[in-house]
Short mmCIF file of all heavy atoms in Angstrom, two decimals:
data_model
loop_
_atom_site.label_atom_id
_atom_site.label_comp_id
_atom_site.label_asym_id
_atom_site.label_seq_id
_atom_site.Cartn_x
_atom_site.Cartn_y
_atom_site.Cartn_z
N SER R 1 280.05 64.14 7.60
CA SER R 1 279.81 63.43 8.84
C SER R 1 279.35 64.21 9.78
O SER R 1 279.81 65.46 9.90
CB SER R 1 281.16 62.62 9.24
OG SER R 1 281.49 61.68 8.32
N THR R 2 278.50 63.88 10.65
CA THR R 2 277.99 64.74 11.79
C THR R 2 278.71 64.54 13.19
O THR R 2 278.38 65.26 14.19
CB THR R 2 276.34 64.54 12.04
OG1 THR R 2 276.13 63.14 12.32
CG2 THR R 2 275.58 64.99 10.80
N SER R 3 279.67 63.63 13.25
CA SER R 3 280.32 63.26 14.49
C SER R 3 281.79 62.86 14.09
O SER R 3 282.00 62.27 13.05
CB SER R 3 279.65 62.49 15.31
OG SER R 3 279.72 61.18 14.79
N GLY R 4 282.65 63.02 15.11
CA GLY R 4 283.99 62.34 14.88
C GLY R 4 283.95 60.89 14.74
O GLY R 4 284.75 60.41 14.01
N TYR R 5 283.02 60.20 15.47
CA TYR R 5 282.89 58.71 15.32
C TYR R 5 282.43 58.35 13.91
O TYR R 5 283.10 57.41 13.28
CB TYR R 5 281.97 58.15 16.32
CG TYR R 5 282.28 58.40 17.72
CD1 TYR R 5 281.58 59.34 18.60
CD2 TYR R 5 283.35 57.67 18.34
CE1 TYR R 5 282.02 59.49 19.91
CE2 TYR R 5 283.68 57.78 19.65
CZ TYR R 5 283.05 58.66 20.45
OH TYR R 5 283.39 58.93 21.73
N GLN R 6 281.45 59.13 13.43
CA GLN R 6 281.02 58.78 12.04
C GLN R 6 282.13 59.09 11.05
O GLN R 6 282.26 58.34 10.06
CB GLN R 6 279.76 59.75 11.78
CG GLN R 6 278.97 59.37 10.56
CD GLN R 6 277.75 60.26 10.31
OE1 GLN R 6 278.06 61.43 10.08
NE2 GLN R 6 276.70 59.76 10.51
N ALA R 7 282.95 60.24 11.22
CA ALA R 7 284.01 60.52 10.38
C ALA R 7 285.05 59.39 10.33
O ALA R 7 285.53 59.08 9.26
CB ALA R 7 284.74 61.69 10.82
N TYR R 8 285.31 58.77 11.40
CA TYR R 8 286.33 57.66 11.46
C TYR R 8 285.87 56.48 10.61
O TYR R 8 286.66 55.90 9.84
CB TYR R 8 286.65 57.43 12.93
CG TYR R 8 287.90 56.43 12.94
CD1 TYR R 8 289.15 56.93 12.46
CD2 TYR R 8 287.70 55.17 13.21
CE1 TYR R 8 290.27 56.13 12.58
CE2 TYR R 8 288.86 54.29 13.20
CZ TYR R 8 290.05 54.86 12.91
OH TYR R 8 291.16 54.00 12.84
N ASP R 9 284.52 56.19 10.83
CA ASP R 9 283.94 55.22 9.91
C ASP R 9 284.03 55.57 8.52
O ASP R 9 284.27 54.64 7.65
CB ASP R 9 282.53 54.92 10.40
CG ASP R 9 282.41 54.28 11.71
OD1 ASP R 9 283.43 53.64 12.14
OD2 ASP R 9 281.32 54.25 12.36
N ALA R 10 283.68 56.75 8.09
CA ALA R 10 283.78 57.17 6.72
C ALA R 10 285.18 57.13 6.09
O ALA R 10 285.29 56.86 5.03
CB ALA R 10 283.31 58.70 6.59
N ILE R 11 286.19 57.40 6.85
CA ILE R 11 287.51 57.23 6.50
C ILE R 11 287.87 55.85 6.02
O ILE R 11 288.60 55.57 5.12
CB ILE R 11 288.63 57.73 7.50
CG1 ILE R 11 288.50 59.29 7.65
CG2 ILE R 11 290.00 57.40 7.13
CD1 ILE R 11 289.26 59.79 8.76
N LYS R 12 287.29 54.96 6.72
CA LYS R 12 287.50 53.48 6.43
C LYS R 12 286.91 53.07 5.16
O LYS R 12 287.43 52.21 4.46
CB LYS R 12 286.94 52.62 7.61
CG LYS R 12 287.71 52.65 8.94
CD LYS R 12 287.04 51.81 9.87
CE LYS R 12 287.73 52.16 11.38
NZ LYS R 12 287.01 51.39 12.37
N LEU R 13 285.69 53.75 4.74
CA LEU R 13 285.06 53.50 3.49
C LEU R 13 285.91 54.11 2.39
O LEU R 13 285.99 53.45 1.22
CB LEU R 13 283.63 54.00 3.58
CG LEU R 13 282.72 53.27 4.52
CD1 LEU R 13 281.32 53.95 4.56
CD2 LEU R 13 282.52 51.78 4.28
N LYS R 14 286.17 55.38 2.47
CA LYS R 14 286.96 56.13 1.45
C LYS R 14 287.89 57.23 2.02
O LYS R 14 287.36 58.06 2.64
CB LYS R 14 286.00 56.70 0.34
CG LYS R 14 286.75 57.42 -0.74
CD LYS R 14 285.78 58.03 -1.81
CE LYS R 14 286.65 58.53 -2.87
NZ LYS R 14 285.86 59.21 -3.96
N LYS R 15 289.05 56.90 1.95
CA LYS R 15 290.02 57.95 2.47
C LYS R 15 290.04 59.20 1.81
O LYS R 15 290.27 59.29 0.67
CB LYS R 15 291.47 57.25 2.33
CG LYS R 15 292.50 58.04 3.16
CD LYS R 15 293.88 57.56 2.98
CE LYS R 15 294.88 58.38 3.65
NZ LYS R 15 296.17 57.67 3.63
N PRO R 16 289.79 60.28 2.56
CA PRO R 16 289.74 61.58 2.06
C PRO R 16 291.09 62.15 1.75
O PRO R 16 292.12 61.71 2.43
CB PRO R 16 288.95 62.43 2.97
CG PRO R 16 289.20 61.74 4.32
CD PRO R 16 289.43 60.27 3.98
N ASP R 17 291.21 63.03 0.85
CA ASP R 17 292.51 63.83 0.61
C ASP R 17 292.64 64.79 1.76
O ASP R 17 293.73 65.30 2.14
CB ASP R 17 292.48 64.43 -0.66
CG ASP R 17 292.46 63.49 -1.90
OD1 ASP R 17 293.48 62.72 -1.96
OD2 ASP R 17 291.38 63.35 -2.57
N ILE R 18 291.61 65.38 2.41
CA ILE R 18 291.62 66.48 3.28
C ILE R 18 290.33 66.38 4.16
O ILE R 18 289.28 65.92 3.60
CB ILE R 18 291.84 67.79 2.71
CG1 ILE R 18 292.08 68.83 3.75
CG2 ILE R 18 290.55 68.26 1.94
CD1 ILE R 18 292.68 70.13 3.22
N ILE R 19 290.54 66.75 5.47
CA ILE R 19 289.36 66.74 6.33
C ILE R 19 289.05 68.12 6.84
O ILE R 19 290.13 68.73 7.22
CB ILE R 19 289.56 65.79 7.56
CG1 ILE R 19 289.69 64.34 7.01
CG2 ILE R 19 288.42 65.91 8.54
CD1 ILE R 19 290.32 63.30 8.15
N LEU R 20 287.88 68.52 6.74
CA LEU R 20 287.49 69.87 7.42
C LEU R 20 286.80 69.53 8.62
O LEU R 20 285.73 68.79 8.71
CB LEU R 20 286.46 70.60 6.50
CG LEU R 20 287.10 71.02 5.03
CD1 LEU R 20 286.09 71.73 4.24
CD2 LEU R 20 288.43 71.70 5.09
N LEU R 21 287.30 69.86 9.77
CA LEU R 21 286.68 69.39 11.14
C LEU R 21 286.38 70.47 12.07
O LEU R 21 287.02 71.39 12.33
CB LEU R 21 287.94 68.46 11.70
CG LEU R 21 287.71 67.84 13.00
CD1 LEU R 21 286.55 66.91 13.01
CD2 LEU R 21 288.98 67.25 13.47
N ASP R 22 285.11 70.34 12.51
CA ASP R 22 284.53 71.25 13.56
C ASP R 22 285.38 71.12 14.86
O ASP R 22 285.51 69.95 15.30
CB ASP R 22 283.10 71.01 13.70
CG ASP R 22 282.53 72.06 14.66
OD1 ASP R 22 283.03 73.14 14.99
OD2 ASP R 22 281.39 71.77 15.21
N TYR R 23 285.93 72.17 15.43
CA TYR R 23 286.63 72.18 16.67
C TYR R 23 285.69 71.83 17.89
O TYR R 23 286.12 71.17 18.71
CB TYR R 23 287.44 73.39 16.88
CG TYR R 23 288.33 73.39 18.00
CD1 TYR R 23 289.55 72.58 18.22
CD2 TYR R 23 288.12 74.22 19.06
CE1 TYR R 23 290.21 72.55 19.20
CE2 TYR R 23 288.87 74.22 20.21
CZ TYR R 23 289.95 73.37 20.27
OH TYR R 23 290.82 73.42 21.35
N GLU R 24 284.50 72.38 17.85
CA GLU R 24 283.62 72.32 18.96
C GLU R 24 282.46 71.42 18.77
O GLU R 24 281.45 71.95 18.21
CB GLU R 24 283.11 73.63 19.48
CG GLU R 24 284.34 74.58 19.91
CD GLU R 24 284.03 76.16 19.91
OE1 GLU R 24 282.84 76.43 19.78
OE2 GLU R 24 284.90 76.84 20.05
N MET R 25 282.57 70.22 19.08
CA MET R 25 281.44 69.29 18.93
C MET R 25 281.08 68.48 20.22
O MET R 25 282.06 68.30 20.95
CB MET R 25 281.69 68.29 17.68
CG MET R 25 281.90 68.72 16.28
SD MET R 25 282.09 67.31 15.16
CE MET R 25 283.68 66.79 15.63
N PRO R 26 279.87 67.97 20.36
CA PRO R 26 279.58 67.28 21.51
C PRO R 26 280.21 65.95 21.42
O PRO R 26 280.59 65.35 20.38
CB PRO R 26 278.05 67.23 21.49
CG PRO R 26 277.67 67.38 20.07
CD PRO R 26 278.80 68.25 19.56
N LEU R 27 280.33 65.17 22.60
CA LEU R 27 280.78 63.90 22.65
C LEU R 27 282.30 63.80 22.38
O LEU R 27 283.06 63.77 23.36
CB LEU R 27 280.03 62.90 21.83
CG LEU R 27 278.49 62.70 22.03
CD1 LEU R 27 277.88 61.79 21.14
CD2 LEU R 27 278.20 62.29 23.43
N LEU R 28 282.68 63.82 21.03
CA LEU R 28 284.03 63.66 20.74
C LEU R 28 284.38 64.99 19.92
O LEU R 28 283.96 65.17 18.84
CB LEU R 28 284.21 62.55 19.72
CG LEU R 28 285.74 62.07 19.36
CD1 LEU R 28 286.46 61.60 20.61
CD2 LEU R 28 285.57 61.00 18.33
N ASP R 29 285.10 65.99 20.68
CA ASP R 29 285.33 67.25 20.02
C ASP R 29 286.44 67.09 18.99
O ASP R 29 286.97 66.14 18.67
CB ASP R 29 285.60 68.31 21.03
CG ASP R 29 286.95 68.08 21.79
OD1 ASP R 29 287.86 67.28 21.26
OD2 ASP R 29 287.25 68.76 22.84
N GLY R 30 286.63 68.26 18.29
CA GLY R 30 287.64 68.32 17.26
C GLY R 30 288.97 67.82 17.52
O GLY R 30 289.63 67.07 16.91
N ALA R 31 289.46 68.29 18.79
CA ALA R 31 290.82 67.98 19.22
C ALA R 31 290.87 66.43 19.50
O ALA R 31 291.94 65.78 19.06
CB ALA R 31 291.12 68.70 20.51
N GLU R 32 289.98 65.83 20.16
CA GLU R 32 289.96 64.35 20.36
C GLU R 32 289.77 63.61 19.08
O GLU R 32 290.46 62.53 18.86
CB GLU R 32 288.77 64.00 21.37
CG GLU R 32 289.04 64.47 22.69
CD GLU R 32 290.40 63.78 23.34
OE1 GLU R 32 290.41 62.49 23.09
OE2 GLU R 32 291.14 64.59 23.89
N THR R 33 288.97 64.14 18.08
CA THR R 33 288.86 63.54 16.82
C THR R 33 290.08 63.46 16.02
O THR R 33 290.56 62.40 15.53
CB THR R 33 287.76 64.23 16.03
OG1 THR R 33 286.45 64.12 16.71
CG2 THR R 33 287.45 63.55 14.66
N LEU R 34 290.81 64.62 16.06
CA LEU R 34 292.02 64.73 15.33
C LEU R 34 293.10 63.78 15.99
O LEU R 34 293.83 63.14 15.29
CB LEU R 34 292.62 66.19 15.49
CG LEU R 34 293.98 66.43 14.83
CD1 LEU R 34 293.99 65.91 13.25
CD2 LEU R 34 294.38 67.81 14.93
N LYS R 35 293.18 63.72 17.39
CA LYS R 35 294.06 62.62 18.07
C LYS R 35 293.80 61.38 17.52
O LYS R 35 294.58 60.53 17.28
CB LYS R 35 293.80 62.94 19.52
CG LYS R 35 294.80 61.98 20.36
CD LYS R 35 294.49 62.33 21.87
CE LYS R 35 295.45 61.39 22.66
NZ LYS R 35 295.00 61.20 24.01
N LYS R 36 292.50 61.00 17.50
CA LYS R 36 292.01 59.60 16.98
C LYS R 36 292.54 59.33 15.64
O LYS R 36 293.09 58.26 15.36
CB LYS R 36 290.57 59.46 17.21
CG LYS R 36 289.93 58.11 17.00
CD LYS R 36 288.49 58.08 17.35
CE LYS R 36 287.83 56.86 16.93
NZ LYS R 36 288.04 55.76 17.78
N PHE R 37 292.44 60.41 14.77
CA PHE R 37 292.83 60.20 13.32
C PHE R 37 294.36 59.94 13.36
O PHE R 37 294.88 59.13 12.60
CB PHE R 37 292.55 61.49 12.46
CG PHE R 37 291.11 61.75 12.22
CD1 PHE R 37 290.68 63.02 11.86
CD2 PHE R 37 290.15 60.66 12.14
CE1 PHE R 37 289.36 63.32 11.65
CE2 PHE R 37 288.83 61.03 11.98
CZ PHE R 37 288.50 62.25 11.68
#
C-alpha cells in the first residue's frame, strides 16, 4: 500500500499477520496510521 488510507482498506480485504509501516509519509504519517489501526 502506498498510504495509510490505502493500508486500512487493504486490511478490510485481507487481514495481514504483520504490517511493515513507513514512519514518515505525507497526509497520514506512520504514527497516525498506527493510531487508526
Side-chain angles (χ1 to χ4, degrees):
S1 294
T2 56
S3 73
Y5 296 110
Q6 194 182 68
Y8 192 68
D9 290 341
I11 288 171
K12 292 177 186 174
L13 295 174
K14 182 174 181 182
K15 184 178 178 180
D17 294 292
I18 191 163
I19 300 169
L20 306 179
L21 177 61
D22 184 15
Y23 184 69
E24 297 162 8
M25 292 187 292
L27 303 176
L28 190 66
D29 68 15
E32 287 298 314
T33 301
L34 178 60
K35 184 178 177 198
K36 189 172 172 72
F37 291 158

